[in-house]
């Protein structure tokens, strides 16, 4: 169906744009979950919950070294220990019943095994204290645990722990708004593990981190499957050594970071990789964050609110769908050294103003949509685009650009449409082998404006619908030939998905003529490419 310009513009923007970004709470906030979820800063994400991404990946497909394998998901049902929680006295029956002790509201597991947990603790804890060589499997099958003193589930010691969500079950945990132990290394999450932790199964788990974090592992963390919903007064989900996402549907609302990997001392740790499934994040600080590498090779990642949507020293997107909304930078490749360099410079991280660091932003596949008030694609090193479709609705105000790299911007494939303000606009780098063009529209056109690109013969080669006020557009695709002349028009009709698609020049008004392959940084008023 073809829409007239005015109608289609409104429809496409609604389909493209995520919720309008508002400034979130800073990291370290002490807001309670009720304050976080009741705050208009945290809006529902753009992907409807009624159509989650159900893609999955097998542990054997993972290229990184992790603790998780297919054997973790297999056990002998006859060897299960049944653990029924109750404020009046929890009971254990079955193979390892002797390894379960109950003291008031505290239920303690002290040996390896498989424990099927149901029932309710209105004020208590499920604690794991197993020898470090032993794995513990906990099947949550209609379990409700709330604590008034600390974490609801606390793993002090084990080789690894699997939380398996029984099919069809609903489970919930919440911690105290104030902890008895507030030391620097004390637990600080509703589910807190000193050991490797994995979450799997076909049930549902709701986590309320009233004190600080929702789910935290001081080792590795795997999200394999299940429906996990986290609301946290600070960070949503943290794995120190790594966060591996193999599937499931995980929704996080957090006043701090959404999902993060925090190891900043080991070169092969501190990574986050999404292979499949759906992540839906609304964060007051960074949406998805890793100290070393952040990779998305499949599934869907939606960051509907954040300060910076994706941040890591190395960001690589090779597949899947990414929708990122940020009040500052959308995709930000930066390390600790580069951050310090930026802070010390009055010019910040503007391309060319700083020496390029050893950080990288690479997109080789997938669909990426960015809505940023700061830089859209930002790297304190280089940017490399070799595939995929990338749409950037960058800053409407000056001081930032839709593309910002201290090093090279190399485009060798894919489709890139990066729109934003003129003042800090940046084009493609000299090592780009794919054609591209840059146009200044002279003054900002409003959100919903159809921008058409036609070659010198009048053939339409690109249709873009601006998601927000736009002065400058950088466009690159395989059918753009450097050295050729292109006419830029506004108006006409468009049928787009995520801002790009098909259109018609009927009724469009030419506003500029540009030569592909000619770029300039920091464009200012007046139409035309320069």
């Amino acid at each position: 169906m073809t829409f007239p310009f005015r109608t289609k513009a409104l429809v496409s923007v609604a389909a493209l744009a995520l919720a309008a970004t508002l400034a979130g709470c800073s990291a370290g906030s002490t807001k309670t979950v009720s304050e976080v979820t009741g705050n208009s800063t945290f809006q529902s994400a753009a992907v409807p919950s009624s159509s989650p991404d159900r893609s999955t990946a097998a542990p054997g497909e993972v290229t990184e070294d992790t603790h998780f394998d297919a054997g973790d998901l297999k056990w002998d049902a006859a060897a299960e220990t049944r653990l029924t929680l109750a404020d009046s006295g929890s009971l254990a029956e079955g193979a390892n019943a002797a390894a379960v002790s109950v003291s008031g509201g505290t239920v303690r597991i002290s040996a390896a095994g498989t424990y099927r947990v149901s029932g309710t603790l209105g004020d208590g804890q499920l604690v794991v204290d197993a020898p470090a060589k032993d794995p513990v499997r906990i099947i949550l099958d209609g379990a409700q645990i709330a604590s008034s003193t600390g974490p609801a589930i606390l793993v002090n010691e084990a080789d690894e722990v699997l939380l398996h969500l029984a099919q069809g079950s609903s489970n919930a945990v919440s911690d105290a708004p104030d902890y008895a132990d507030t030391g620097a290394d004390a637990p600080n999450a509703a589910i807190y593990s000193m050991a490797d932790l994995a979450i799997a199964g076909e049930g549902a788990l709701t986590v309320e981190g009233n004190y600080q974090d929702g789910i935290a592992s001081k080792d590795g963390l795997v999200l394999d499957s299940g429906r996990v919903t986290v609301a946290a007064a600070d960070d949503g989900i943290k794995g120190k050594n790594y966060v591996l996402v193999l599937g499931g549907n995980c929704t996080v609302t957090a006043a701090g970071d959404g999902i993060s990997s925090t190891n900043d001392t080991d070169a092969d740790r501190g990574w986050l990789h999404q292979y499949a499934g759906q992540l839906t994040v609304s964060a007051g600080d960074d949406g998805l964050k890793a100290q070393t590498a952040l990779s998305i090779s499949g599934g869907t990642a939606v960051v509907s609110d954040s300060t910076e949507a994706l941040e890591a020293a190395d960001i690589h997107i090779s597949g899947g769908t990414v929708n990122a909304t940020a009040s500052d930078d959308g995709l930000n490749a930066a390390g600790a050294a580069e951050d310090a360099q930026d802070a010390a410079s009055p010019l910040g991280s503007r391309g060319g103003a700083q020496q390029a660091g050893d950080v990288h932003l690479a997109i080789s596949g997938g669909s990426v949509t960015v809505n940023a008030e700061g830089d859209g694609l930002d790297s304190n090193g280089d940017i490399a685009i070799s595939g995929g479709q990338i749409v950037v609705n960058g800053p409407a105000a000056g001081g930032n650009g839709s593309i910002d790299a201290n090093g090279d911007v190399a485009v060798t494939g894919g489709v890139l449409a990066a729109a934003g303000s003129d003042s800090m606009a940046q084009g493609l780098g000299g090592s780009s082998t794919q054609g591209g063009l840059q146009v200044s529209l002279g003054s900002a056109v409003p959100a919903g404006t159809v921008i058409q690109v036609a070659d010198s013969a009048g053939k339409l080669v690109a249709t873009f619908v601006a998601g927000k006020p736009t002065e400058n557009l950088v466009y690159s695709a395989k059918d753009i030939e450097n050295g050729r002349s292109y006419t830029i028009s506004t108006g006409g009709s468009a049928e787009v998905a995520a801002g790009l698609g098909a259109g018609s020049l009927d009724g469009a008004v030419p506003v500029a003529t540009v030569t592909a392959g000619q770029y300039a940084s920091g464009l200012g008023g007046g139409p035309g490419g320069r």
Side-chain angles (χ1 to χ4, degrees), residues 499-519:
L500 282 173
S504 169
L505 289 169
D506 291 344
V509 177
V511 295
T513 299
V514 299
T515 300
Q518 296 183 1
Y519 308 101

Side-chain angles (χ1 to χ4, degrees), residues 58-60 67-76 114 135 137 160 162 164 224:
H67 71 278
F68 188 69
D69 59 48
D72 293 337
L73 303 176
K74 299 176 181 179
W75 66 89
D76 181 4
T114 300
R137 184 182 293 108
E160 61 181 84
L162 170 68
H164 193 276
D224 175 75

Side-chain angles (χ1 to χ4, degrees), residues 63 76-77 85 98 147 151 173 182 195 222 324 374 389 393 420 439 483 488 496 507:
T63 59
D76 181 4
L85 305 177
S147 173
V173 299
T182 59
V222 175
Q389 175 177 297
N393 284 283
V439 59
I488 314 301
V496 301

Side-chain angles (χ1 to χ4, degrees), residues 18-124:
L18 306 178
T21 303
L22 302 174
C25 305
S26 62
S29 166
T30 58
K31 285 184 176 293
T32 65
V33 166
S34 61
E35 289 175 314
V36 170
T37 56
N39 190 324
S40 61
T41 298
F42 302 97
Q43 303 293 331
S44 60
V47 173
S49 59
S50 60
S51 57
D53 189 321
R54 300 188 185 279
S55 59
T56 59
E61 299 176 30
V62 177
T63 59
E64 299 91 350
D65 179 26
T66 77
H67 71 278
F68 188 69
D69 59 48
D72 293 337
L73 303 176
K74 299 176 181 179
W75 66 89
D76 181 4
E80 292 179 5
T81 299
R82 296 178 300 281
L83 178 52
T84 304
L85 305 177
D87 290 326
S88 58
S90 300
L91 297 175
E93 301 173 286
N96 276 12
V100 179
S101 63
V102 179
S103 177
T106 301
V107 179
R108 192 176 305 273
I109 296 172
S110 58
T114 300
Y115 301 83
R116 184 175 292 270
V117 182
S118 60
T120 299
L121 281 179
D123 184 7

Side-chain angles (χ1 to χ4, degrees), residues 439-525:
V439 59
S440 169
L441 300 173
S443 60
V445 298
T449 298
V450 177
I451 301 175
Q452 314 271 17
V453 179
D455 63 18
S456 57
K459 178 184 176 182
L460 186 63
V461 296
T463 296
F464 173 73
V465 177
K468 58 203 301 187
T470 296
E471 292 179 312
N472 189 278
L473 175 66
V474 174
Y475 180 79
S476 176
K478 64 180 181 180
D479 51 359
I480 298 295
E481 297 182 33
N482 286 343
R484 292 192 63 181
S485 177
Y486 292 84
T487 299
I488 314 301
S489 303
T490 57
S493 62
E495 185 153 3
V496 301
L500 282 173
S504 169
L505 289 169
D506 291 344
V509 177
V511 295
T513 299
V514 299
T515 300
Q518 296 183 1
Y519 308 101
S521 296
L523 297 175

Side-chain angles (χ1 to χ4, degrees), residues 178-275:
D178 298 296
Y179 278 24
D181 184 356
T182 59
D185 296 323
N188 66 343
I191 298 177
Y192 187 89
S193 178
M194 294 295 296
D196 287 318
L197 179 67
I199 300 176
E202 298 304 320
L205 173 64
T206 299
V207 179
E208 290 190 2
N210 292 294
Y211 176 56
Q212 289 183 7
D213 302 340
I215 301 172
S217 169
K218 299 296 287 184
D219 212 319
L221 175 62
V222 175
L223 300 174
D224 175 75
S225 52
R227 300 184 306 280
V228 180
T229 303
V230 178
D234 193 6
D235 298 336
I237 297 177
K238 291 198 303 189
K240 180 178 181 181
N241 286 342
Y242 52 83
V243 175
L244 170 65
V245 183
L246 294 174
N249 188 342
C250 182
T251 301
V252 176
T253 302
D257 294 334
I259 303 175
S260 62
S261 181
T262 61
N263 190 326
D264 58 1
T265 58
D266 299 325
D268 61 341
R269 296 305 194 189
W271 54 264
L272 188 163
H273 193 154
Q274 180 181 4
Y275 281 86

